[in-house]
Amino acid sequence: MPKFLAAALTLALTLASPAAALEPLAQERYINDRLVAARVADRIRRECPSIEARLVAAWSAARALKRYAEQKGYPAAEIEAFLDSKPDRARIYAVAEDYLTRNGARAGDPESFCRIGRNEIASKSVAGSLLVAR
């Protein structure tokens, strides 16, 4: 009987632990897509003089994304490790740069970033929601 109880308890704890079935954060699409969008918005606001960040919106989006990860069952330490990971940051930045390049961004050409930014704002994309045109 004690072996049965121990096995049942182990099974219950395994099933009750949401993190047991979670994919690594680096593969969680919703989170990664929003981090890429945030990087796209950041690059646009840095390169385009007529577009600024919506700082309150960006802060709120970051907190909501953290809450989303927590509610899915990711432990705080795993979330922090993911956000501090240089390889993951480099991967997200590379995806954002590829997106910008494919959409016409060119180094040294602020208007190319402004054009993308205006399109993001007009389409009400995630990146666009973090930007405002002056």
Side-chain angles (χ1 to χ4, degrees):
M1 187 74 126
K3 286 184 182 181
F4 173 76
L5 288 175
L9 181 59
T10 301
L11 178 62
L13 289 174
T14 301
L15 294 176
S17 172
L22 293 174
E23 61 196 330
L25 277 167
Q27 295 172 10
E28 210 287 340
R29 185 176 178 141
Y30 180 87
I31 290 171
N32 282 266
D33 286 352
R34 273 140 188 83
L35 291 173
V36 168
R39 177 60 180 171
V40 166
D42 186 51
R43 288 282 288 129
I44 290 168
R45 70 136 184 125
R46 289 175 184 270
E47 298 294 331
C48 175
S50 63
I51 293 181
E52 295 177 351
R54 295 181 60 220
L55 295 178
V56 173
W59 184 80
S60 294
R63 293 199 37 96
L65 196 55
K66 184 175 182 186
R67 257 190 330 275
Y68 171 84
E70 291 169 342
Q71 289 171 350
K72 282 199 77 174
Y74 291 99
E78 186 176 345
I79 295 168
E80 291 303 318
F82 172 68
L83 294 174
D84 290 340
S85 165
K86 289 182 181 179
D88 285 319
R89 185 176 306 139
R91 177 184 51 78
I92 288 164
Y93 281 22
V95 172
E97 288 302 316
D98 179 61
Y99 175 84
L100 289 165
T101 301
R102 283 186 290 110
N103 283 280
R106 293 183 305 278
D109 180 6
E111 181 51 34
S112 66
F113 286 88
C114 293
R115 187 172 32 260
I116 295 168
R118 288 189 300 269
N119 288 340
E120 294 291 327
I121 293 167
S123 70
K124 299 182 182 191
S125 69
V126 174
S129 72
L130 304 174
L131 300 169
V132 63
R134 286 192 251 160

